Amino acid sequence: MPAFDAIVVGAGQAGPSLAVRLAGAGMSVALVERKLFGGTCVNTGCMPTKTLVASAYAAHLARCAADYGVVLQGEVGVDMARVKARQDKVVTDARDGLETWLRDAKGVTVFQGHARFESPRDLRVGDEVLTAPRIFINVGGRALVPDMPGVNEVDYLTNTSMLALDVLPRHLVVVGGSYVGLEFAQMYRRFGAQVTVVEKGPRLIGREDPDVSEAIREILEGEGIAFRLKAECISFRQHGPDIAVGVDCENGEPEVLGSHALLAVGRKPNTDDLGLDKAGVALDPRGYIVVDDHLRTNVEGIWAMGDCNGKGAFTHTAYNDFEIVAANLLDDDPRRVSDRITAYALYTDPPLGRVGMSETEARASGRKVLVGMRPMSRVGRAVEKGETAGFMRILVDADSREILGASILGTSGDEAIHAVLDLMYAREPYSVLQRAVHIHPTVSELIPTILGELKPL
């Protein structure tokens, strides 16, 4: 039975960095990876999808070339095989680089195989049983496939299988009008496919404010994407070569016929085949590993990081999980999950950058709130780029003068949002940012202007 000081299960965003950090502190570390190094982000999430988003943007910009005084001969075409090859190279380079780094790391022993607990200290990987007093779980998640009528009778796609396509769907039906679904919808519309988004709720991305949701819908409809909202009873059936998606909406035809159907209705943690019951590790009703503010499970000596703990569904939160665990174990620095400010982006074009409270949440908080807004049509950089869709909104606590949250839907919104995020971490009053002198011409330079025009919500 090979014995180690620590075992890390999963080579996603948190696991590899923690393994190398622990080894650097003098521990012997086993890192176990079931299949692909890099986890969701590298293999089926951020890196491949944002590579596709970039290709789709290039196609879109080429079609709009005349608007910028650029003359192209003939129609713009998209070679999906080359698009996929570019995506695959980005992914493979990142994955291979990570695996090489881990295998070369002093003090880290890499095991490839499916790890399952046999006790709180023992993990079986193939024919071997590894043991350690410290075990760190970083197993990520996968696409949720609800038990919708007929779903198992058709060849549906998920975010993972979608990335294997090297042909253009004639008509892509995206089931799920939230973050993953909308990114795929826009990119494939820009590649040239007909696209319909089916959403059970009354509007897109229900987590966001209604005006953000409406603005994104208008942007995507302007590119030719169709939407079927309030689809209460979604079902599937084969209709010749097509997939018929039943939508049961208030208006329109009861079915949508598509050549391909993508399910983008949520995620689930990879915790159902780890033998966690043998270790006594507690799960919540959705299957996420229950952890405290320092990412410790209910079992002494076992931690959970990344998507599998339900504390964040992003690469940046998973990496921060590593930082929290390492700080507490090695640096005598009591970092906590509750110190983290919610921040994320939707990578449609234009992107949505989000931090802290939405307007809806701010209203419900009972605070006295100030709000500042500006349409992107009044942002010089957006006008110069010819990308004026969207708006910027910042929310401030009228009493403490601290920023509560912000939404930036517009060109460079995913980058400009960090000026707000950094001030929120500093816990300084908004006037600090209001008096900052930003570079012109940028999107960020309008943030101080907005903060100088605050009004009661």
Side-chain angles (χ1 to χ4, degrees), residues 323-390:
E323 294 176 315
I324 290 169
V325 171
N328 280 276
L329 281 178
L330 304 175
D331 302 331
D332 193 26
D333 180 0
R335 296 181 68 170
R336 301 170 299 178
V337 176
S338 57
D339 293 332
R340 196 155 64 203
I341 297 172
T342 299
Y344 55 88
L346 165 67
Y347 289 97
T348 50
D349 176 33
L352 168 67
R354 279 278 289 110
V355 60
M357 290 184 179
S358 65
E359 181 179 305
T360 303
E361 291 169 333
R363 287 182 183 275
S365 71
R367 303 167 186 253
K368 290 173 58 180
V369 179
L370 302 176
V371 60
M373 291 190 65
R374 176 166 290 243
M376 296 302 292
S377 58
R378 292 180 56 210
V379 176
R381 184 64 172 147
V383 173
E384 293 149 8
K385 293 178 69 177
E387 299 177 359
T388 56

Side-chain angles (χ1 to χ4, degrees), residues 1 37 47 54 84 94 108-109 119 155 158 164 175 234 251 253 266 308 337 378-379 386 398 413 419 428 443 445 454:
M1 183 181 293
F37 291 80
M47 297 197 76
K84 182 179 182 299
V108 177
T109 303
S119 79
D155 291 329
T158 67
V175 180
I234 300 173
N251 301 300
E253 294 297 321
C308 67
V337 176
R378 292 180 56 210
V379 176
E428 292 291 332
V443 173
E445 71 171 321
L454 297 174

Side-chain angles (χ1 to χ4, degrees), residues 172-396:
L172 175 64
V173 180
V174 179
V175 180
S178 197
Y179 306 93
V180 173
L182 295 182
E183 289 181 19
F184 274 110
Q186 186 181 46
M187 74 173 76
Y188 272 86
R189 178 60 187 153
R190 289 181 168 188
F191 289 147
Q194 181 182 351
V195 177
T196 300
V197 175
V198 176
E199 168 56 39
K200 184 176 181 179
R203 60 186 178 88
L204 304 177
I205 45 176
R207 177 178 180 174
E208 305 301 336
D209 287 317
D211 57 351
V212 172
S213 171
E214 179 65 15
I216 291 171
R217 184 186 62 80
E218 290 177 357
I219 290 167
L220 297 181
E221 279 186 336
E223 295 191 20
I225 296 173
F227 292 95
R228 301 298 301 275
L229 306 178
K230 299 182 181 179
E232 290 295 332
C233 300
I234 300 173
S235 62
F236 303 83
R237 68 179 181 88
Q238 200 66 41
H239 183 80
D242 288 337
I243 297 172
V245 181
V247 294
D248 192 27
C249 297
E250 292 181 353
N251 301 300
E253 294 297 321
E255 288 185 324
V256 178
L257 294 181
S259 59
H260 298 73
L262 168 65
L263 300 188
V265 292
R267 305 281 292 171
K268 65 182 296 185
N270 292 327
T271 57
D272 46 355
D273 195 19
L274 287 175
L276 291 172
D277 55 327
K278 294 184 177 179
V281 174
L283 303 176
D284 73 9
R286 297 185 300 160
Y288 290 96
I289 298 173
V290 177
V291 295
D292 66 11
D293 218 13
H294 294 155
L295 300 169
R296 298 171 296 198
T297 71
N298 63 302
V299 178
E300 182 73 23
I302 301 179
W303 292 255
M305 307 177 296
D307 294 4
C308 67
N309 65 24
K311 295 294 185 180
F314 309 104
T315 296
H316 52 276
T317 53
Y319 188 81
N320 181 238
D321 283 359
F322 144 65
E323 294 176 315
I324 290 169
V325 171
N328 280 276
L329 281 178
L330 304 175
D331 302 331
D332 193 26
D333 180 0
R335 296 181 68 170
R336 301 170 299 178
V337 176
S338 57
D339 293 332
R340 196 155 64 203
I341 297 172
T342 299
Y344 55 88
L346 165 67
Y347 289 97
T348 50
D349 176 33
L352 168 67
R354 279 278 289 110
V355 60
M357 290 184 179
S358 65
E359 181 179 305
T360 303
E361 291 169 333
R363 287 182 183 275
S365 71
R367 303 167 186 253
K368 290 173 58 180
V369 179
L370 302 176
V371 60
M373 291 190 65
R374 176 166 290 243
M376 296 302 292
S377 58
R378 292 180 56 210
V379 176
R381 184 64 172 147
V383 173
E384 293 149 8
K385 293 178 69 177
E387 299 177 359
T388 56
F391 61 88
M392 309 167 74
R393 172 163 55 223
I394 304 177
L395 303 160
V396 171

Side-chain angles (χ1 to χ4, degrees), residues 83-102:
V83 168
K84 182 179 182 299
R86 178 175 177 271
Q87 165 207 288
D88 290 346
K89 184 178 187 308
V90 170
V91 170
T92 301
D93 287 352
R95 184 170 62 227
D96 290 351
L98 176 61
E99 183 175 356
T100 298
W101 178 58
L102 288 169

